[in-house]
């Protein structure tokens, strides 16, 4: 198999990349990043680009499966418009090109609570899901984890506090509330790579219980 990863320099995308590199079922992985990752592998083809207009990269967006781990914060993006461009518009643009190039399946990192009637962030994720589904109508999978536990390059105080709280709350989140449990980011990456190799019978939208079943 040949993989494509967007957002490979981020927390989830970087772990997906490492999973793919170490998986013998994958012979090649293409990543599209704004800055070099520093990762070296004979499987890896790294394309460094500002990612403002990806049409020039169309001929390189080739493979069997597209992993989308693009995402940012309003603080890093600087504006809602820029965050929407990164979280919504870029994934849809990659989906359009990848689908036209014969890529068979797409997997998105989304968020629990994603809803067109939600707040700015959750609405943006919902629009991303809908936009990518348009180009992969029967072969797109939206992973909607709760709070992701992992070591980010940048320090996020609110996230650290929330992570501590979730360690206490997670055990009592059962039944329909189980989907809100926090999740180690490594498990999300493993689940996405696992599903990409065996998608038959899997739901299009996966929350905590369904994600954990993929591992």
């Amino acid at each position: 198999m040949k993989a494509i990863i967007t957002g490979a320099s981020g927390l989830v995308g970087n772990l997906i990349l490492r999973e793919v590199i170490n998986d013998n079922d994958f012979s090649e992985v293409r990543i599209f990043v704004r800055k070099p990752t520093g990762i070296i592998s004979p499987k890896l083809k790294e394309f460094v680009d500002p990612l403002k207009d990806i049409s020039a990269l169309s001929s390189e967006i080739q493979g069997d499966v597209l992993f989308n781990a693009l995402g940012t914060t309003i603080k890093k993006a600087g504006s809602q418009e820029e965050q929407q461009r990164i979280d919504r518009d870029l994934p849809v643009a990659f989906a359009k090109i990848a689908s036209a190039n014969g890529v068979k399946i797409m997997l998105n990192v989304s968020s629990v609570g994603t809803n067109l009637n939600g707040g700015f962030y959750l609405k943006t994720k919902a629009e991303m899901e809908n936009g990518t589904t348009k180009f992969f109508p029967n072969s797109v999978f939206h992973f909607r984890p709760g709070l992701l536990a992992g070591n980010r390059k940048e320090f996020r105080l609110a996230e650290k506090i929330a992570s501590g709280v979730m360690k206490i709350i997670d055990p009592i989140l059962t039944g329909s509330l189980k989907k809100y449990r926090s999740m180690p980011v490594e498990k999300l990456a493993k689940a996405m790579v696992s599903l990409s190799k065996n998608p038959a019978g899997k739901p299009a939208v996966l929350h905590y219980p369904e994600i954990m079943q993929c591992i």
Side-chain angles (χ1 to χ4, degrees):
M1 293 177 67
K2 296 182 179 181
I4 305 162
I5 304 175
T6 61
S9 60
L11 179 64
V12 181
N14 190 261
L15 287 171
I16 293 173
L17 172 58
R18 294 178 187 277
E19 285 285 331
V20 169
I21 287 175
N22 293 322
D23 191 320
N24 291 331
D25 288 328
F26 289 90
S27 60
E28 179 183 285
V29 54
R30 298 184 175 209
I31 64 173
F32 298 84
V33 291
R34 288 178 294 175
K35 296 179 181 179
T37 60
I39 296 174
I40 299 174
S41 168
K43 291 184 180 181
L44 178 61
K45 292 187 177 182
E46 184 176 75
F47 299 88
V48 180
D49 187 270
L51 300 181
K52 295 292 185 181
D53 178 7
I54 65 169
S55 59
L57 298 169
S58 295
S59 63
E60 304 296 348
I61 303 174
Q62 303 276 353
D64 300 303
V65 53
L66 170 60
F67 294 96
N68 165 45
L70 284 165
T72 188
T73 62
I74 191 70
K75 182 178 179 180
K76 290 183 69 175
S79 68
Q80 288 189 338
E81 290 75 18
E82 180 63 6
Q83 186 172 6
Q84 286 176 322
R85 188 187 73 81
I86 295 170
D87 282 37
R88 179 192 64 196
D89 300 345
L90 267 178
V92 174
F94 270 101
K96 181 179 181 179
I97 295 170
S99 176
N101 286 349
V103 175
K104 302 178 182 67
I105 180 175
M106 181 174 187
L107 300 95
N108 287 312
V109 177
S110 190
S111 172
V112 68
T114 291
N115 192 305
L116 285 172
N117 296 317
F120 170 76
Y121 177 75
L122 296 177
K123 180 181 178 182
T124 298
K125 286 297 185 184
E127 290 170 345
M128 178 276 291
E129 288 188 4
N130 289 348
T132 55
T133 299
K134 176 182 176 182
F135 298 105
F136 288 89
N138 299 306
S139 55
V140 65
F141 297 89
H142 308 297
F143 287 71
R144 295 182 180 177
L147 181 71
L148 291 173
N151 296 315
R152 296 186 184 274
K153 294 178 182 177
E154 76 277 9
F155 179 73
R156 297 183 183 178
L157 178 60
E159 202 167 87
K160 288 292 183 182
I161 295 172
S163 180
V165 172
M166 291 307 296
K167 287 181 180 179
I168 300 172
I169 295 177
D170 278 343
I172 64 174
L173 295 176
T174 59
S176 62
L177 296 178
K178 197 172 184 178
K179 67 181 180 180
Y180 294 103
R181 285 186 180 182
S182 63
M183 174 179 295
V185 67
E186 293 85 359
K187 291 188 180 296
L188 175 60
K190 286 181 181 294
M192 293 182 73
V193 173
S194 176
L195 187 148
S196 74
K197 299 187 295 180
N198 184 27
K202 300 297 191 301
V205 176
L206 299 92
H207 290 99
Y208 180 94
E210 296 81 20
I211 294 171
M212 297 301 285
Q213 288 174 7
C214 292
I215 301 173

